[in-house]
Amino acid sequence: MRAARLIKMVLLLQARSSMTAAELARELEVSERTVTRDAQALSEAGVPVYADRGRAGGYRLIGGYRTRLTGLARSEAEALFLSGVPGALREMGLEDAASAARLKVSAALMPSLRDASRTAAQRFHLDAPNWFREPKAPELLPAVADAVWDDRRIVARYRRGETEVERELEPYGLVLKAGVWYLCARVAAGHGPYRVYRIDRFTAVDAGDERSERFERDEEFDLPGFWEERAEQFARSILRAEVVVRVSPTGVRGLPYAVDPQSAREALEAAGAPDGDGWVTLTLPVESEEVAHTQLASLGPEVEVLAPEALRERFASDAIRLAALYRS
């Protein structure tokens, strides 16, 4: 514990020109007296820690005691600090490791680049979860993440419908999509196809320990490419119904925001020319009539449902009820 604290103290002093005992105590979560003892221990070990007395005093390193990363431009240093997603790292149990890594990089950077972490953080922030949704990390995520980093097989039990299934998996990668964590893996026996599992549906995970059997990773596996392909397949697989609609010019602009964007674009490209009022008639793939009702209702009077008849009647009923509500 003390050795780690001493290393962190050195890195803090490398990253900043000078720090008071109070500042170091706050960063290291110890008393100022402990800071004094640690500084003395570092000095005795040959680390040139110097204490300035007085109101503007503090601890600093002398003699150019630092390791520098040379050749980094400011834009490269700032991009480096954008590579971590704090919330995701915290949920995977990697927050401490990431913090230590950022501190080491900061300490090694040239003085003119040491504010790169702050400037990057003030210019970019990733908020992954959806609006109006309380994000909750799956309890078993850290164990799965640890196995992913270590190429270690896991035995997982997960809910599939009303039953539970147990599989031995080779965990290849994790994906955070709109606040939901997914595992890309394949069944260990037979080296079958890669599959996607929602981690919040796992009920138990046996990830073994550091001595557990590791799998030989397929180096040709491309996680971003696999996810993009699988996500597109999933989006298309759930579009099992069709509706015929007539859309106003304003509705044309809003359609990709109301339904699946790719399906909307393809339907608009396949549609005929606008009529005399500028409205376009098109056939739109949808998940179901129920889902289509919810999605298309957001366009209000900018869309007219032509088929199926049951959905058209439902919108007609909605219009009558709305007219009654606003008649006064």
Side-chain angles (χ1 to χ4, degrees), residues 45-303:
V47 178
V49 178
Y50 179 77
D52 286 321
R53 306 295 180 183
R55 178 179 298 180
Y59 291 92
R60 61 186 178 87
L61 294 172
I62 61 175
Y65 189 89
R66 59 176 51 88
T67 300
R68 294 184 177 179
L69 290 177
T70 57
L72 276 180
R74 168 164 290 278
S75 60
E76 294 170 332
E78 290 173 342
L80 180 64
F81 284 102
L82 287 177
S83 61
V85 183
L89 292 170
R90 180 173 59 253
E91 293 176 5
M92 288 190 291
L94 297 174
E95 184 178 30
D96 290 343
S99 177
R102 285 192 295 269
L103 183 59
K104 290 178 180 179
V105 172
S106 294
L109 286 173
M110 296 175 63
S112 60
L113 299 179
R114 285 197 193 135
D115 66 340
S117 61
R118 181 184 61 81
T119 57
Q122 293 304 316
R123 287 164 174 79
F124 177 81
H125 173 68
L126 175 64
D127 184 10
N130 280 329
W131 288 104
F132 314 117
R133 174 177 179 162
E134 185 68 27
K136 184 178 179 181
E139 182 180 346
L140 298 173
L141 175 61
V144 176
D146 188 53
V148 168
W149 289 117
D150 212 20
D151 292 340
R152 197 167 63 243
R153 288 191 176 97
I154 63 173
V155 177
R157 292 187 62 84
Y158 63 96
R159 296 187 301 274
R160 190 168 69 181
E162 300 297 323
T163 62
E164 282 195 3
V165 180
E166 182 174 289
R167 293 284 187 271
E168 183 180 5
L169 301 174
E170 296 177 348
Y172 267 72
L174 293 166
V175 175
L176 177 61
K177 170 69 172 178
V180 180
W181 284 94
Y182 296 88
L183 172 68
C184 300
R186 64 181 179 183
V187 177
H191 297 289
Y194 297 99
R195 303 183 184 278
V196 176
Y197 302 86
R198 275 186 64 144
I199 295 181
D200 59 6
R201 293 180 183 167
F202 284 4
T203 58
V205 171
D206 180 3
D209 55 32
E210 294 181 357
R211 298 185 300 275
S212 298
E213 183 181 1
R214 290 171 171 78
F215 63 91
E216 186 175 348
R217 189 179 184 88
D218 180 1
E219 297 301 330
E220 294 185 0
F221 176 76
D222 173 30
L223 179 60
F226 168 77
W227 178 260
E228 182 179 2
E229 179 182 353
R230 183 55 59 92
E232 183 177 349
Q233 290 175 357
F234 174 76
R236 292 183 178 278
S237 70
I238 63 174
L239 302 179
R240 301 186 180 95
E242 288 185 343
V243 297
V244 180
V245 294
R246 183 168 169 264
V247 190
S248 74
T250 300
V252 167
R253 292 191 294 272
L255 190 63
Y257 300 98
V259 300
D260 176 64
Q262 183 64 28
S263 298
R265 286 192 291 268
E266 292 177 357
L268 287 168
E269 290 173 359
D275 60 20
D277 297 324
W279 287 55
V280 177
T281 300
L282 53 90
T283 301
L284 185 68
V286 294
E287 185 175 345
S288 65
E289 288 186 21
E290 183 70 28
V291 173
H293 176 260
T294 301
Q295 292 175 329
L296 295 175
S298 66
L299 296 176
E302 307 303 330
V303 61

Side-chain angles (χ1 to χ4, degrees), residues 6-76:
L6 292 174
I7 293 173
K8 186 174 182 179
M9 184 174 178
V10 172
L11 292 173
L12 285 168
L13 292 175
Q14 282 188 206
R16 308 175 193 181
S17 59
S18 177
M19 294 183 69
T20 65
E23 290 172 336
L24 283 169
R26 187 165 53 252
E27 290 279 356
L28 300 173
E29 299 181 346
V30 296
S31 67
E32 293 185 30
R33 181 173 295 182
T34 299
V35 169
T36 301
R37 288 198 297 265
D38 286 352
Q40 184 177 353
L42 287 171
S43 181
E44 292 173 354
V47 178
V49 178
Y50 179 77
D52 286 321
R53 306 295 180 183
R55 178 179 298 180
Y59 291 92
R60 61 186 178 87
L61 294 172
I62 61 175
Y65 189 89
R66 59 176 51 88
T67 300
R68 294 184 177 179
L69 290 177
T70 57
L72 276 180
R74 168 164 290 278
S75 60
E76 294 170 332

